[in-house]
Structures are given as C-alpha cells and as structure tokens.
Amino acid sequence: MIAEYQLKIAVRLAEVRERIARAVRLAGRAATPIRLVLASKTQPPEAIAAAYEAGAREFGENYVQEAVAKRAALANLPDIRWHMIGHLQTNKAKVALETFDIIETLDSERLANALARVRPSPPVPVLIEVNLGGETSKTGVAPDRVEPLINAVRARVEVLGLMTIPPPAANPAAMRPYFARLRELRDRLAATTGLALSELSMGMTEDFEVAIEEGATIVRIGRAVFGERTQ
C-alpha cells in the first residue's frame, strides 16, 4: 500500500513537471527556469517524503505550527526548502524564521520589522503578496500600495518579487488578466525601485499553465501532485 501511494505521487509529480515544461515551450520561455513549490497543507510527512524521493525539493505551508511539526518529522531531508505561503502573523515571526527559507506573503511594514528584528542579517528573503482582486476575505497589499511598502521595507528584508492568489474562477483563462497585471506591476516596480524583483509566484493546480504563459517563475501546486485533500 505504501509503495502504491508513493508511486501515485511520483507519477503525478512527473506529469506536472511535463505540463510545466510544455507550458514553458509554448510560451517561448525555454531559458527561464520555473520553480515548482508543492503546496503541502494538511498533507502528512509521508506524502512530502514521497514527493521528495521523486525529486521535489520545495514545499509550501500555510500554517507555522503545521510546518514546524513537518520539518521536525523530515529533519533527515536537509535540502528541503520551505516556503511560507499563508498569512503570517507578526507574533510568529521568530518561529517562522526557524522554519521557513522564504516568506511569500509579506503584506505590511510591521511584519517586515518583526522579521528584521529576529534576523537582521542576512536579510530575510520575501515576496510581497498583492491582493489584485480587492477581496476583503484575503490578505495582501492593494496594487497601489506595493511600491510604498517596498520602499519602506527594502532596507530590512530582501524583496525578491511579488506573489498573488487571484479570485477563484471556473475557467483558468479568467485568471489571465490577473497574472498579466502582476507581471506588468512587477515590470513597472522593477523600473521605479531599481530592484530586480525577479520572482513572480502565481498559479496553482487549476491555472499554473496560464500563469507560466504570463511570466510566473514560481508555481504553487498541491492537488495535482498529492490528490484531493482529506481534511
């Protein structure tokens, strides 16, 4: 049963990698590597270990305490890189920096200050989470507030780029305008701030191919590899 479970994850991971490669080719982005982050929320350590054995190295978690437990359980796999892809509260900055290699959801100067107090050097690598849909149910910074936030925090954290989760839609094509807007925002901010902002984290199981076509450098994929969540 365990071998069958591991095989399913390995097969799904290979399929996702092929889909990524195909999207890269179709978009004419052969020289641009795409980082595959497996969204492992609610998945047991055994599932992460199976994906690791199949070649995955980057995993994304939404909750600090869940990630702490998984990192401890998988301490024998030292080259895993952990991404924080859920909202991070400032009072959990210390534990988060003991657990995660990159924070993809920076959304306030207050959080940047908390991270910098815990680890002033080297600066913490972060992405700015952008709320493109103006959804009150989601965290993230409004597009017109991203540049002021970057300028306020750039001396304390290492801003590598932008991240977004568009409003849900039945058709992946409906996500395209949001992905295009994030890319255009990044391009403009790279020019005005002088930072490379080379990372664009956008695209999940339903729409990652569209995101790649629009410039994603990081895609966050869960169900396509792990199957439907059971919790």
Side-chain angles (χ1 to χ4, degrees):
M1 183 66 74
I2 293 177
E4 181 182 349
Y5 174 67
Q6 293 172 329
L7 179 60
K8 282 183 179 179
I9 288 178
V11 168
R12 290 180 188 140
L13 179 59
E15 290 172 349
V16 165
R17 289 195 183 282
E18 177 50 38
R19 288 172 62 187
I20 289 172
R22 184 164 57 247
V24 167
R25 289 194 301 270
L26 291 175
R29 296 183 55 196
T32 306
I34 306 297
R35 295 169 65 183
L36 171 58
V37 174
L38 297 189
S40 47
K41 172 185 173 182
T42 76
Q43 299 298 330
E46 295 77 15
I48 297 172
Y52 177 94
E53 290 300 321
R57 289 295 181 271
E58 300 195 75
F59 296 85
E61 287 287 333
N62 289 65
Y63 303 112
V64 173
Q65 290 310 123
E66 185 178 343
V68 167
K70 290 177 182 178
R71 182 159 187 160
L74 299 165
N76 61 319
L77 308 178
D79 56 340
I80 282 183
R81 285 181 55 81
W82 295 95
H83 294 235
M84 180 60 177
I85 59 174
H87 179 62
L88 178 59
Q89 297 172 315
T90 55
N91 64 351
K92 294 183 178 177
K94 183 176 187 298
V95 180
L97 290 184
E98 293 169 351
T99 307
F100 294 100
D101 298 285
I102 180 171
I103 308 299
E104 290 203 19
T105 51
L106 187 83
D107 60 358
S108 70
E109 185 176 0
R110 184 165 172 255
L111 177 56
N113 290 341
L115 294 170
R117 279 195 299 271
V118 175
R119 200 182 86 191
S121 181
V124 179
V126 303
L127 304 181
I128 305 292
E129 181 181 6
V130 185
N131 187 338
L132 290 174
E135 298 166 277
T136 57
S137 61
K138 288 182 181 175
T139 55
V141 186
D144 64 346
R145 299 305 303 162
V146 177
E147 185 170 4
L149 179 59
I150 289 176
N151 288 330
V153 306
R154 60 187 295 172
R156 280 160 282 175
V157 294
E158 184 182 11
V159 183
L160 298 179
L162 308 178
M163 176 267 213
T164 197
I165 303 173
N171 183 354
M175 305 295 197
R176 188 180 300 277
Y178 294 99
F179 297 145
R181 281 179 62 197
L182 194 73
R183 171 176 43 79
E184 291 162 1
L185 177 63
R186 186 279 310 274
D187 292 347
R188 180 174 65 78
L189 292 175
T192 58
T193 67
L195 298 176
L197 302 177
S198 57
E199 299 289 5
L200 282 180
S201 178
M202 57 188 193
M204 297 185 288
T205 287
E206 301 85 353
D207 52 33
F208 68 87
E209 286 137 322
V210 175
I212 289 170
E213 291 172 11
E214 293 298 333
T217 63
I218 299 172
V219 292
R220 309 177 306 273
I221 297 174
R223 288 186 294 104
V225 172
F226 294 118
E228 295 292 337
R229 289 191 185 123
T230 57
Q231 300 180 35

